[in-house]
Amino acid sequence: MSRPKNDTFLRALLKEPTEYTPLWLMRQAGRYLPEYCETRKRAGDFLKLCKSPALACEVTLQPLARYDLDAAILFSDILTVPDAMGLGLYFAEGEGPRFERPLREEWAINNLSAPDSYEHLGYVMDAVGEIRRALDNSVPLIGFSGSPYTLACYMVEGQGSSDFRHIKGMLYNRPDLLHRILSVTADAVTSYLNAQIDSGAQAVMIFDTWGGSLSHAAYREFSLAYMQRIVAGLQKEKDGQRIPCIVFTKNGGLWLEQIAAIGCDAVGLDWTVDIGEARRRVGDQVALQGNLDPNVLFAAPEIVAAEARKVLDSFGPGNTGHVFNLGHGISQFTPPESVTALVEAVHGHSRLLRK
């Protein structure tokens, strides 16, 4: 299997020289695109959209038809893994994801087991295969999962949370129970990402959305250690090609050196970190991904372009090791034309910086 025709994203992750800085967006297939909203309506609801390989493929490709992006990311949801563990995922209208059976009881936690990725999450693997065929080797496909701690937040709280009192109560009162959840979930995520790689994903990303809500010591013990275990268990090559891995902890700027040391190829940055400073801190150990504030996209196109140039200038000279992205997922209220301005600015200015 050869690399994609446009392999700039993969080369940047592996710190190989690139002609320009590649760009993709977290949540690039989403509600800011009218065509996505139409497909979602046709699907009936969000979960049906995730569980239909044909529709997941359709929405994965929509942003690539509209913008000159350098990678596609599988359309799915981080909560497919706990759903496959039998926790009863559903989406309440206007309220986000909920679980019918959150993990609060010791017996339920002891009974938890990692699902078979092909048997219980086969629809995701089918979507990966379908997307790869549809992309026809034009750009790489990114697979992904939530981190064990982030998934555990939903599994224990039963829904999104502002204070995480249930999971943090367990963390301090019964760390053994939380470690049991995280251990099973780390096994599940490792097997899930490896199945995505076997099905055709050419890079993988671990989203640690809630790791940054932990204390310094708790982050290392309850989030980072389990991501390190996953990274160690990932398939590093497929068909003679390296499969890079990106780790992203939102609000993880305090721990960049520690994240860079777990064996991943790239560290994702949110917008609270200066990317030039991050580069100085981690050196050449890893590539960096990020890190424009998603709310910049509500500004006028010329301001979007100016802010994108600031990120590129801050990263500094050299033509290796930077994948441009937002510091978190794109907002559903983003004007689609703002993304056009962003893509043009990143590709254009990064080419100038290499002259």
Side-chain angles (χ1 to χ4, degrees):
M1 184 74 69
S2 60
R3 271 192 181 183
K5 294 178 193 78
N6 174 2
D7 67 349
T8 316
F9 165 74
L10 295 175
R11 281 191 281 132
L13 288 181
L14 296 171
K15 301 196 302 301
E16 296 172 6
T18 60
E19 292 162 28
Y20 62 89
T21 301
L23 165 78
W24 70 278
L25 306 176
M26 289 188 267
R27 217 183 289 138
Q28 66 189 20
R31 286 178 287 177
Y32 72 105
L33 293 175
E35 54 269 40
Y36 168 88
C37 295
E38 281 172 31
T39 309
R40 179 167 165 160
K41 205 154 119 190
R42 212 165 74 238
D45 66 41
F46 178 73
L47 263 185
K48 284 181 184 149
L49 181 57
C50 287
K51 292 188 176 184
S52 160
L55 294 179
C57 177
E58 187 179 308
V59 294
T60 297
L61 299 180
Q62 284 168 348
L64 299 165
R66 197 185 259 262
Y67 308 114
D68 186 19
L69 297 162
D70 296 288
I73 181 163
L74 161 71
F75 180 80
S76 187
D77 191 85
I78 62 168
L79 299 181
T80 52
V81 170
D83 181 42
M85 289 170 157
L87 272 63
L89 176 65
Y90 67 100
F91 283 80
E93 197 54 50
E95 293 179 1
R98 299 276 177 102
F99 283 109
E100 290 168 13
R101 294 174 288 282
L103 290 174
R104 307 271 175 84
E105 306 292 334
E106 189 162 348
W107 65 266
I109 292 166
N110 288 332
N111 285 345
L112 194 67
S113 63
D116 181 295
S117 294
Y118 289 98
E119 187 184 339
H120 299 108
L121 292 157
Y123 62 91
V124 177
M125 309 317 146
D126 292 343
V128 170
E130 198 158 329
I131 295 162
R132 274 297 305 274
R133 286 189 291 278
L135 285 171
D136 192 27
N137 230 16
S138 53
V139 295
L141 175 63
I142 306 164
F144 73 92
S145 173
S147 71
Y149 182 75
T150 292
L151 296 179
C153 285
Y154 291 99
M155 292 157 75
V156 175
E157 297 291 336
Q159 61 188 70
S161 175
S162 57
D163 59 10
F164 302 104
R165 69 182 183 276
H166 295 293
I167 190 165
K168 287 199 172 182
M170 187 185 290
L171 185 155
Y172 293 113
N173 276 321
R174 290 293 306 273
D176 58 313
L177 294 184
L178 184 53
H179 278 303
R180 161 87 186 143
I181 295 170
L182 294 169
S183 182
V184 173
T185 306
D187 291 345
V189 168
T190 307
S191 115
Y192 182 52
L193 289 175
N194 281 331
Q196 290 181 38
I197 292 166
D198 276 335
S199 302
Q202 291 150 298
V204 291
M205 178 158 169
I206 300 169
F207 285 88
D208 186 32
T209 311
W210 300 123
S213 67
L214 290 166
S215 73
H216 184 72
Y219 174 72
R220 298 194 68 159
E221 181 179 349
F222 294 93
S223 185
L224 193 65
Y226 288 96
M227 292 195 289
Q228 183 165 11
R229 187 164 130 186
I230 292 163
V231 170
L234 286 178
Q235 196 171 322
K236 303 294 188 286
E237 275 197 16
K238 170 82 173 157
D239 300 326
Q241 299 295 326
R242 276 273 282 112
I243 309 291
C245 165
I246 309 159
V247 170
F248 171 62
T249 295
K250 189 177 176 222
N251 295 322
L254 291 170
W255 307 303
L256 294 182
E257 294 88 348
Q258 291 96 319
I259 300 168
I262 68 170
C264 53
D265 297 285
V267 175
L269 307 173
D270 70 12
W271 64 90
T272 63
V273 181
D274 179 86
I275 197 166
E277 180 60 29
R279 191 181 184 190
R280 284 187 287 279
R281 283 169 60 188
V282 301
D284 288 331
Q285 199 171 357
V286 288
L288 294 173
Q289 179 175 279
N291 66 334
L292 188 72
D293 181 349
N295 288 332
V296 165
L297 296 174
F298 295 117
E302 61 275 15
I303 293 169
V304 172
E307 292 294 323
R309 289 195 294 270
K310 282 184 196 171
V311 173
L312 291 164
D313 291 344
S314 174
F315 183 81
N319 59 352
T320 62
H322 183 200
V323 172
F324 198 101
N325 208 315
L326 303 177
H328 198 237
I330 190 167
S331 163
Q332 70 187 76
F333 305 110
T334 301
E337 56 275 15
S338 291
V339 178
T340 307
L342 177 65
V343 174
E344 287 173 359
V346 170
H347 285 166
H349 189 61
S350 62
R351 278 191 163 95
L352 289 176
L353 290 175
R354 284 159 171 74
K355 285 187 175 171

